[in-house]
Amino acid sequence: MATYGSPLYVYSRTDIEDNWRQFDQAFGTHPHLVCYAVKANSNLAVLNVLAKCGAGFDIVSVGELERVLAAGGNANKCVFSGVAKTVIEIERALEVGVRCFNVESASELQRIETVAKSVNKKAPISIRVNPNVDAKTHPYISTGLKENKFGIDIDEAIDLYKKAQNSEFLDIQGLDCHIGSQITDVSPFLDALDKVLALVEQLNDQGIHIHHLDLGGGVGIDYEGEETIDIQAYVDAIISQVGKTEIILEPGRAIVGNAGIFITKVEFLKQNSDHEFAIVDGAMNDLLRPSFYNAYHNVLPINQNPTGITAQWDIVGPICETGDFLAKNRDLSLSEGDYLAVMSAGAYGFTMSSNYNSRPRVAEVMVSDTKHQCIRKRETIQDLFAQEKLYGY
Ligand code: LLP
């Protein structure tokens, strides 16, 4: 902390590599591509570590695509997801040659065809179907139900595939689904797989053959001691049902979530009549998950001070919002000046951070063995308004 300051994100390179390899190796010789979901943590150094492992990438914007390329990733290992790809994004993705567009609506398919035609290329596509299964996760991160905006009704997908098959500028590659995030039970994944395989059969009957099945991301991690999915068992269950079809997975959280922590410093201890607050220098703009999803992150003291005050603390930030908390009711012994580690913060931590309350975004550090390195400088106050201009009268 003396070197990098506080607050701070710290990631373990070895953990990131190990987590990715766990997915990759689970497939053995079965054709597969593990496409890391960039949105979970898009720092160039993180992407570079994964690119060196041979990872593919699941991207949702041209910004993420450019990050992958800048980090040494291969465009032809990128699947392009997201509900509203713009013309510019499609053009760039075709130019660099992404592996596949995961298409989310009839209009989007039309747009991809039009752009492909304009640059005289064949766009590789896969239709993202909505299998209407309940992922049994937080409603904000459930995506595979009919009421969610994602994907195409599984019953309507066949018509789109027929359209794609008749197009000179579309090249059917696969079938895609993603049912949600932080899923800790394998059964919703297998229910979705059943539905997707039924569609593959229907497509085969129509003479439409797909080369890969993309089953999305969503594998949950242990935040507070919950049982999670056994990746080998999950992959074995997939392989046992798909013949020789190539499988693509898009894990994000499972690769980086538990490979990162958020470090914050206790500024003040404040004891009201029935509440104890530890006011820390990190806030909801740095780590939004607790405020936004009421998500639980374990909090551990870094420099446990035996003379600290033992209580049930609410760990809150300096932002002017009652919802600005990182954790509630934690039994900790704390002193002002202590550092705390907010655990499991490697996924959707920094990437969801903002400058709210004009707070510069924090630094990021990567460690491996005994080495540590800054992988993103802390923003300066000048950075905050560098793009702004006074209004000219
Ligand atoms: N593929 C697609 C199409 C996705 O939409 C997502 C996540 C993933 C893959 C990666 O899912 P994962 O393996 O990380 O669960 N901000 C929320 C999570 C939002 C997830 C959005 N989509 C959170 O902090 O919990």
Side-chain angles (χ1 to χ4, degrees):
M1 268 71 78
T3 314
Y4 301 110
S6 169
L8 186 68
Y9 277 100
V10 182
Y11 312 122
S12 155
R13 193 189 94 192
T14 321
D15 285 352
I16 295 172
E17 290 168 343
D18 288 351
N19 292 339
W20 184 83
R21 289 201 183 108
Q22 214 190 334
F23 279 94
D24 188 50
Q25 289 168 0
F27 282 95
T29 55
H30 189 95
H32 68 280
L33 184 61
V34 181
C35 291
Y36 165 68
V38 174
K39 63 171 83 66
N41 186 325
S42 57
N43 184 290
L44 288 195
V46 171
L47 302 181
N48 176 253
V49 162
L50 289 166
K52 282 188 180 145
C53 290
F57 296 92
D58 167 50
I59 55 168
V60 291
S61 68
V62 71
E64 288 191 350
L65 173 58
E66 298 299 349
R67 278 182 176 275
V68 168
L69 298 177
N74 278 342
N76 64 15
K77 287 186 176 176
C78 284
V79 292
F80 198 157
S81 304
V83 288
K85 297 164 200 76
T86 65
V87 169
I88 287 173
E89 289 180 318
I90 297 165
E91 278 170 356
R92 179 68 176 145
L94 284 172
E95 184 184 21
V96 297
V98 296
R99 164 80 193 259
C100 194
F101 291 94
N102 290 338
V103 181
E104 299 235 11
S105 64
S107 307
E108 194 183 50
L109 188 68
Q110 179 65 56
R111 180 179 285 177
I112 292 172
E113 184 184 26
T114 308
V115 177
K117 187 173 179 188
S118 73
V119 295
N120 200 24
K121 284 196 170 152
K122 228 174 168 175
I125 61 113
S126 156
I127 305 282
R128 175 171 174 183
V129 296
N130 184 332
N132 194 28
V133 298
D134 186 356
K136 301 188 186 79
T137 184
H138 189 287
Y140 284 14
I141 53 177
S142 176
T143 53
L145 281 171
K146 276 197 169 162
E147 66 252 38
N148 302 136
K149 70 178 173 186
F150 300 97
I152 290 165
D153 204 300
I154 203 156
D155 305 322
E156 291 165 23
I158 293 202
D159 284 344
L160 281 191
Y161 273 108
K162 282 188 191 156
K163 181 177 182 284
Q165 202 183 24
N166 291 328
S167 167
E168 259 183 85
F169 299 99
L170 298 172
D171 175 20
I172 297 171
Q173 285 290 318
L175 177 56
D176 168 46
C177 82
H178 168 82
I179 58 171
S181 196
Q182 186 51 21
I183 299 168
T184 51
D185 173 11
V186 83
S187 59
F189 285 120
L190 300 182
D191 292 347
L193 180 60
D194 282 348
K195 295 200 176 180
V196 161
L197 288 175
L199 178 57
V200 171
E201 232 169 79
Q202 281 176 276
L203 289 172
N204 277 334
D205 292 345
Q206 307 271 343
I208 300 171
H209 306 292
I210 57 135
H211 306 297
H212 75 246
L213 262 185
D214 180 341
L215 299 174
V219 172
I221 61 167
D222 170 7
Y223 282 102
E224 50 176 322
E226 58 264 63
E227 276 225 1
T228 57
I229 288 169
D230 179 321
I231 290 164
Q232 186 66 59
Y234 172 40
V235 169
D236 286 346
I238 298 171
I239 293 177
S240 70
Q241 296 193 58
V242 298
K244 290 201 164 65
T245 308
E246 180 180 8
I247 298 299
I248 294 181
L249 292 183
E250 304 169 355
R253 190 189 315 265
I255 309 287
V256 288
N258 271 327
I261 60 172
F262 177 66
I263 295 176
T264 184
K265 182 180 170 189
V266 178
E267 294 285 352
F268 301 116
L269 295 177
K270 180 166 159 179
Q271 293 174 285
N272 289 352
S273 51
D274 63 346
H275 248 88
E276 345 280 335
F277 295 102
I279 305 172
V280 296
D281 62 358
M284 65 188 286
N285 74 298
D286 305 310
L287 177 59
L288 184 61
R289 302 193 72 257
S291 305
F292 201 44
Y293 309 112
N294 208 14
Y296 180 95
H297 286 260
N298 197 10
V299 177
L300 299 175
I302 291 183
N303 48 347
Q304 181 80 57
N305 184 338
T307 61
I309 303 167
T310 304
Q312 264 204 351
W313 298 99
D314 281 1
I315 317 290
V316 301
I319 283 187
C320 307
E321 298 258 3
T322 303
D324 179 25
F325 64 91
L326 297 178
K328 288 195 167 165
N329 300 321
R330 302 303 168 87
D331 289 309
L332 291 165
S333 173
L334 297 179
S335 299
E336 293 181 355
D338 281 357
Y339 287 99
L340 300 175
V342 182
M343 307 302 288
S344 316
Y348 307 107
F350 189 91
T351 47
M352 290 178 76
S353 68
S354 76
N355 291 121
Y356 188 38
N357 275 212
S358 284
R359 290 167 49 85
R361 275 178 299 171
V362 306
E364 293 174 286
V365 167
M366 188 172 284
V367 297
S368 65
D369 307 320
T370 53
K371 281 192 256 155
H372 47 88
Q373 224 178 81
C374 179
I375 57 169
R376 192 183 209 273
K377 283 201 291 193
R378 186 176 301 282
E379 284 177 354
T380 64
I381 298 296
Q382 287 71 30
D383 291 335
L384 286 177
F385 44 86
Q387 307 298 329
E388 297 172 28
K389 276 207 170 102
L390 297 184
Y391 180 73
Y393 290 91

